[in-house]
Amino acid sequence: MRRILLYIIIITTGIIFLARLFYLQVIDESFVRLSEDNAIKVVYDYPQRGYIFDRNGELLVSNQPSYDVMAIPRNVKVFDTAEFCRILKITPEALASKLDNAKIYSPRLPSIIVPQLTKSEYAYLQEKMRNYEGFYIQKRSLRDYQTHNGSNVLGYIAEVNRKIIEGNPYYISGDLIGKQGIEGYYEELLRGVKGVKYIQKDRFNRDIGAFKDGIYDTLPKKGKDVTITIDGVLQAYGEKLMKNKWGGIVALEPATGEILALVTAPSYDPALLVGRQRSSNFTELYYDTIARPLYDRGLQAEYPPGSPFKTINALIALQEEVVTTQDRVSCSMGYVFGRGRKMGCHAHPSPLNMVPGIAQSCNAYFATVYRRIIEKFPTPQEGIDTWANHLKSFGLGNYLGSDLSTGRPGKIPTADYYNRIYDYPTYKWYSTATISNAIGQGEVLMTPIQLANMTAAISNKGWFYTPHILKEIEGNPIKDKEFTEKKYTTIDPKHFEPVVEGMHQVYKSGTASSLRIPGIEIAGKTGTAENFTKIGTKRVQLTDHSIFIAFAPVDNPKIAIAVFVENGYWGGRYAGRIAGLMIEKYLKGTISRTDMENWILTHSLEEEYKKPYSGEPFTINK
């Protein structure tokens, strides 16, 4: 029995050893890969990124050659560091730091030592590369901008960091990746696919040819060319008009939701983030915490919408049947409510019904309308939530979901929010507590793109497409349902006509009558929003913001626009002029109101923006 047990143990042990040997030699490839790591050099062939065109076929972004000095740390031999540093215009300390970081990343894999050589630097260094064993030159392509505008739209490319490498096996150290804008959101479309070459090495680490005659080599695939919805001429014109001003302009095509212009000011030339000076330029832009040129105000800045918000309150009131278009409201330079408090208003004819109420931007009219909406319901909580749900159907209070890599949701207050604000879980506050919402000065916050989308929805009489920036891929129109299916508001189409007429009368006889454009029928709405900041521990009121929304032509809208100019005094002063000029530029290609254009181009708000730091007084507009 013992002899049989011994045989069983010997046979079992033999089977285990044979199975393990079979696994290591046949199934497990880790030792094969390790062997190949020592005998094979992997060289990547980087593709060109896809080109970017504007909606009219104008080339905005192409490519230019770039050359990176790479190193495989374990292959680096002793070399003349002084000469090497002189050729590459870097310090010995910087070189040592780069090599140390490369060793930490991987002694066996290549790392960038000096990125983005110029053609002349490359030509000179190429002749001397034989003196620097372990180093080689990797050819790539960098972006070549054919425009000085639209940096926030286009984005930029930068070197991947360790987090990206660990999260995506496609990227290795030194690879470039799209950041922000089109470059970031559509990175996988634009980047293409790297080609790979496997080079056999001998025992002296010398290249001896393609591994297995190149059967595993692959060719690079160029990135896809894309056409974006931006009109390059309109974008450039908007940035020109916003020089020396802060704020945002968003222009949409109502019929499609395509973004025609997305202007943020101040901005920067996209070429600043290309080449060896990219890092220092980015650092300078990043640390400009006053002007914040990297901050996309069109998508991220949340502002009180001011009087343009009255249009949507009018629509909600009609839908909830708390007002008719003929109901008249008296105004004595404002609206008195709650213990003698008064919401001021400017001089205009009185009493007013809805159309002239919009045209004259009467605060008393819209305070009355707002209270009727909230007070229709048994409790203000129910009224506020009904009101908020209507607003959300216009894409407000939530990031719109456009195909851009950044954005903010704005704010639409609900009953829960006010219950927390007033510390009452039940019916304890009234419509007068939130009356500022009537004129877009309460807790409501909107981004310029939300304001533009709201305007497009009004122009379409109740529907919109999600705003988007991509138009075509390799000449094929986009098919993403998110951007090609209509979204409907909760307002019946029949209620839009009086609101549109009121906006039309803003130009005909109302607050923008001096801004009319010959030959174009425009519907618009001026807005002025109070502006506060903290200076030290004190809350200080600054010069008011200037706001304007518009669409044109009234009967067949081709463009809807929202303009927001920080510290711009009042709606018609800056934002109204800019909106009119942008509309005329897009629809006619020329400018007839050169008086407005000259005024905008020769007026600056830079002194306003210095006041929080200079101590000069602000202009408060009532």
Side-chain angles (χ1 to χ4, degrees):
M1 187 70 185
R2 289 181 180 176
R3 183 179 297 176
I4 293 173
L5 180 61
L6 180 62
Y7 285 146
I8 291 173
I9 293 172
I10 292 172
I11 292 170
T12 303
T13 304
I15 291 172
I16 292 172
F17 272 108
L18 288 171
R20 180 61 177 165
L21 186 62
F22 177 82
Y23 173 79
L24 292 174
Q25 291 189 341
V26 178
I27 299 175
D28 185 8
E29 296 182 349
S30 60
F31 287 97
V32 174
R33 289 196 299 269
L34 181 61
S35 175
E36 288 181 346
D37 281 345
N38 291 322
I40 296 171
K41 179 172 71 176
V42 178
V43 177
Y44 291 100
D45 192 355
Y46 286 87
Q48 289 202 359
R49 287 180 76 85
Y51 285 10
I52 301 175
F53 298 87
D54 85 340
R55 68 186 296 108
N56 300 311
E58 293 297 319
L59 180 62
L60 300 176
V61 188
S62 58
N63 300 301
Q64 57 181 311
S66 169
Y67 308 92
D68 296 340
V69 178
M70 311 292 293
I72 301 175
R74 72 171 187 178
N75 294 343
V76 173
K77 307 299 181 185
V78 176
F79 63 98
D80 187 341
T81 57
E83 181 188 49
F84 195 68
C85 291
R86 178 177 54 79
I87 293 172
L88 296 177
K89 299 176 183 177
I90 62 172
T91 65
E93 293 77 17
L95 176 61
S97 176
K98 288 282 188 180
L99 288 172
D100 288 341
N101 290 336
K103 289 176 186 176
I104 293 170
Y105 167 66
S106 173
R108 294 178 286 110
L109 296 176
S111 292
I112 289 183
I113 303 303
V114 179
Q116 301 169 12
L117 299 183
T118 64
K119 288 182 181 179
S120 59
E121 289 172 332
Y122 163 72
Y124 185 66
L125 182 61
Q126 179 70 6
E127 297 177 356
K128 297 179 174 290
M129 284 304 293
R130 64 181 184 277
N131 299 327
Y132 307 112
E133 193 170 344
F135 293 90
Y136 69 96
I137 295 177
Q138 174 75 63
K139 184 179 179 180
R140 304 178 195 266
S141 64
L142 292 181
R143 284 316 216 180
D144 188 11
Y145 292 98
Q146 310 300 310
T147 177
H148 299 291
N149 309 107
S151 57
N152 60 315
V153 173
L154 300 172
Y156 59 93
I157 58 173
E159 190 175 339
V160 294
N161 55 34
R162 183 166 296 182
K163 183 178 180 181
I164 293 172
I165 294 170
E166 292 172 353
N168 191 329
Y170 176 85
Y171 299 101
I172 62 173
S173 178
D175 279 2
L176 301 174
I177 190 172
K179 298 277 191 176
Q180 298 182 353
I182 290 292
E183 297 280 17
Y185 197 90
Y186 291 108
E187 160 68 7
E188 292 189 14
L189 277 178
L190 291 166
R191 76 185 182 193
V193 179
K194 288 181 287 193
V196 183
K197 293 180 181 178
Y198 298 93
I199 309 298
Q200 184 79 45
K201 296 183 290 184
D202 64 15
R203 63 192 182 92
F204 298 107
N205 203 35
R206 295 176 300 197
D207 295 350
I208 57 174
F211 175 64
K212 292 189 177 180
D213 295 323
I215 61 173
Y216 297 115
D217 293 355
T218 59
L219 294 173
K221 295 181 181 178
K222 181 181 178 296
K224 294 184 182 298
D225 296 340
V226 299
T227 298
I228 62 175
T229 63
I230 293 292
D231 184 306
V233 173
L234 188 66
Q235 178 76 21
Y237 189 59
E239 293 190 20
K240 180 180 178 181
L241 296 176
M242 288 295 288
K243 186 177 180 181
N244 298 322
K245 305 163 191 73
W246 295 0
I249 304 173
V250 181
L252 304 176
E253 184 177 66
T256 62
E258 293 178 355
I259 301 173
L260 303 173
L262 178 58
V263 176
T264 181
S267 188
Y268 61 92
D269 188 329
L272 288 175
L273 298 186
V274 177
R276 292 178 69 177
Q277 299 303 311
R278 191 203 74 82
S279 181
S280 60
N281 288 339
F282 182 86
T283 300
E284 184 176 346
L285 293 169
Y286 181 83
Y287 284 104
D288 185 352
T289 56
I290 297 175
R292 296 191 294 173
L294 294 175
Y295 178 53
D296 191 334
R297 287 169 165 86
L299 298 175
Q300 294 176 289
E302 296 170 305
Y303 302 107
S307 291
F309 194 68
K310 294 172 181 175
T311 58
I312 207 167
N313 276 328
L315 290 167
I316 295 171
L318 291 171
Q319 182 67 31
E320 292 298 327
E321 299 180 335
V322 296
V323 70
T324 72
T325 57
Q326 299 307 313
D327 288 350
R328 294 159 72 87
V329 173
S330 295
C331 178
S332 299
M333 297 295 288
Y335 180 76
V336 178
F337 65 98
R339 298 181 183 178
R341 296 168 63 190
K342 186 174 184 179
M343 178 187 292
C345 192
H346 59 277
H348 59 72
S350 176
L352 298 170
N353 60 25
M354 182 170 286
V355 170
I358 294 172
Q360 299 299 329
S361 199
C362 176
N363 286 349
Y365 178 87
F366 284 98
T368 301
V369 164
Y370 177 79
R371 288 193 64 178
R372 289 184 185 179
I373 296 170
I374 307 304
E375 293 171 5
K376 171 186 175 181
F377 298 89
T379 68
Q381 280 87 347
E382 292 174 76
I384 281 287
D385 280 344
T386 300
W387 172 81
N389 288 335
H390 284 302
L391 294 173
K392 290 174 183 177
S393 76
F394 283 80
L396 306 179
N398 187 18
Y399 176 47
L400 280 170
S402 69
D403 55 341
L404 291 164
S405 56
T406 188
R408 295 288 297 169
K411 183 178 180 182
I412 297 299
T414 61
D416 180 66
Y417 172 81
Y418 285 120
N419 285 341
R420 286 183 282 111
I421 289 292
Y422 294 110
D423 199 25
Y424 291 127
T426 57
Y427 170 55
K428 289 289 184 179
W429 45 270
Y430 302 91
S431 60
T432 52
T434 63
I435 195 72
S436 293
N437 290 333
I439 59 171
Q441 284 286 177
E443 285 72 30
V444 176
L445 295 175
M446 294 171 63
T447 61
I449 194 170
Q450 289 176 325
L451 204 56
N453 188 64
M454 181 193 84
T455 308
I458 293 173
S459 76
N460 290 331
K461 297 182 174 59
W463 58 267
F464 63 91
Y465 289 105
T466 299
H468 53 280
I469 203 80
L470 184 65
K471 187 175 179 68
E472 296 176 353
I473 305 169
E474 297 279 335
N476 299 309
I478 61 168
K479 297 179 180 179
D480 191 331
K481 290 184 178 180
E482 176 61 30
F483 309 124
T484 57
E485 288 188 353
K486 289 181 180 179
K487 280 79 175 175
Y488 291 90
T489 72
T490 54
I491 310 299
D492 294 339
K494 64 183 180 181
H495 296 313
F496 285 86
E497 196 57 48
V499 173
V500 169
E501 180 56 28
M503 295 174 69
H504 191 198
Q505 290 300 320
V506 167
Y507 270 92
K508 289 288 189 179
S509 60
T511 54
S513 58
S514 64
L515 306 179
R516 284 176 289 185
I517 304 295
I520 303 177
E521 294 298 316
I522 304 175
K525 185 71 192 75
T526 55
T528 304
E530 290 183 331
N531 176 23
F532 296 89
T533 192
K534 273 192 174 181
I535 299 179
T537 58
K538 187 178 179 183
R539 186 171 184 260
V540 177
Q541 186 170 5
L542 312 182
T543 302
D544 293 346
H545 295 316
S546 175
I547 314 165
F548 201 91
I549 63 170
F551 62 86
V554 172
D555 294 330
N556 184 24
K558 301 295 184 185
I559 181 173
I561 191 168
V563 181
F564 207 108
V565 180
E566 296 181 14
N567 301 43
Y569 293 79
W570 61 85
R573 184 175 172 88
Y574 280 94
R577 286 181 167 102
I578 291 171
L581 291 169
M582 290 285 284
I583 288 171
E584 185 173 27
K585 185 72 171 179
Y586 182 68
L587 295 180
K588 297 169 68 174
T590 57
I591 297 298
S592 62
R593 287 298 304 269
T594 54
D595 58 320
M596 289 203 312
E597 182 181 58
N598 291 335
W599 193 94
I600 286 293
L601 295 178
T602 56
H603 281 70
S604 168
L605 288 168
E606 290 293 299
E607 292 303 315
E608 286 291 334
Y609 305 134
K610 293 176 182 177
K611 287 180 179 178
Y613 312 97
S614 68
E616 292 182 44
F618 294 94
T619 302
I620 309 301
N621 305 300
K622 299 296 186 183

